[in-house]
Amino acid sequence: QVQLVESGGGVVQPGGSLRLSCAASGFTFSTFGMHWVRQAPGKGLEWVAFIEHDGSSAYYADSVEGRFTVSRDSSKNTLYLQMNSLRSEDTAVYHCARAHYYFDHWGQGTLVTVSS
Amino acid sequence: EIVMTQSPATLSVSPGERATLSCRASQSVSSHLAWYQQKPGQAPRLLIYDASTRATDIPVRFSGSGSGTEFTLTISGLQSEDFAVYYCQQYNKRPPWTFGQGTKVEIK
């Protein structure tokens, strides 16, 4: 069955960096686009980034454009999110999700806390 | 950016009753709309896509309808496991993919 397992979250100071990973299994990773979606504490869902199945294109929410970079390694079946210049408003649980045009499978998420 | 607006914010329903959740798009999204269920501490789960198609293993008591800018998720005969937060999401015009703010279905 499809499994998505995020890791790499933690506490980081404002202005710091963090790299999240999402390990995928149970499907042919190289044939699916992948998303990152975040959820601030007690808030709703916010789309963050998308990468095409072959890594050829990536798209970002305005709120993270220029600070976050999504990438993937199909040899490792892993999706990444490099987060730089972190701000307090980036504090959230970050989920990876498999893409059709909608999000058909989600990981449990990893918590990122930006605080001094 | 297409803005998705859900109503009500909270819906109080007794077990066994019907719940009707609404989602409105700021411009037409055709039928490119999905619904998700999220329980506390869990990942969202896809319920409905293409406005009315149930995802794999989703019970028939969940149904979706609408097109254009007005959509409805109906849960017939609410069961205890259905009390959760529900989100709509459009994928007609992206990026960005946009979600509604959610409707919490609580026990009356």
Side-chain angles (χ1 to χ4, degrees), chain B residues 34-91:
Chain B
W35 290 94
Y36 303 87
Q37 176 194 67
Q38 188 179 32
K39 299 177 183 179
Q42 295 187 17
R45 177 175 70 147
L46 176 68
L47 296 176
I48 301 284
Y49 62 93
D50 292 347
S52 61
T53 303
R54 274 187 301 278
T56 303
D57 295 331
I58 300 303
V60 295
R61 64 180 181 274
F62 291 92
S63 62
S65 63
S67 65
T69 62
E70 300 285 342
F71 299 89
T72 300
L73 174 69
T74 302
I75 313 170
S76 303
L78 268 162
Q79 299 191 5
S80 56
E81 62 265 32
D82 300 334
F83 293 96
V85 180
Y86 293 83
Y87 295 94
C88 63
Q89 176 242 329
Q90 69 82 24
Y91 47 93

Side-chain angles (χ1 to χ4, degrees), chain A residues 5 10-11 14 21 28 30-31 35-36 53 56-57 61 64 82 89 91 94 105 116:
Chain A
V5 180
V11 180
S21 300
T28 305
S30 61
T31 63
H35 293 273
W36 287 99
H53 67 96
S56 59
S57 296
V64 307
Q82 177 67 44
E89 55 264 36
T91 294
Y94 285 74
H105 290 276
S116 54

Side-chain angles (χ1 to χ4, degrees), chain A residues 3-7 20-24 29 34-38 49 79-80 93-99 103 105-110, chain B residues 43-44:
Chain A
Q3 280 200 313
L4 299 168
V5 180
E6 302 90 340
S7 61
L20 306 183
S21 300
C22 168
F29 181 68
M34 296 292 295
H35 293 273
W36 287 99
V37 178
R38 68 185 180 184
L79 174 73
Y80 301 101
V93 173
Y94 285 74
H95 298 274
C96 61
R98 193 177 78 166
F103 309 94
H105 290 276
W106 298 65
Q108 282 290 102
T110 186

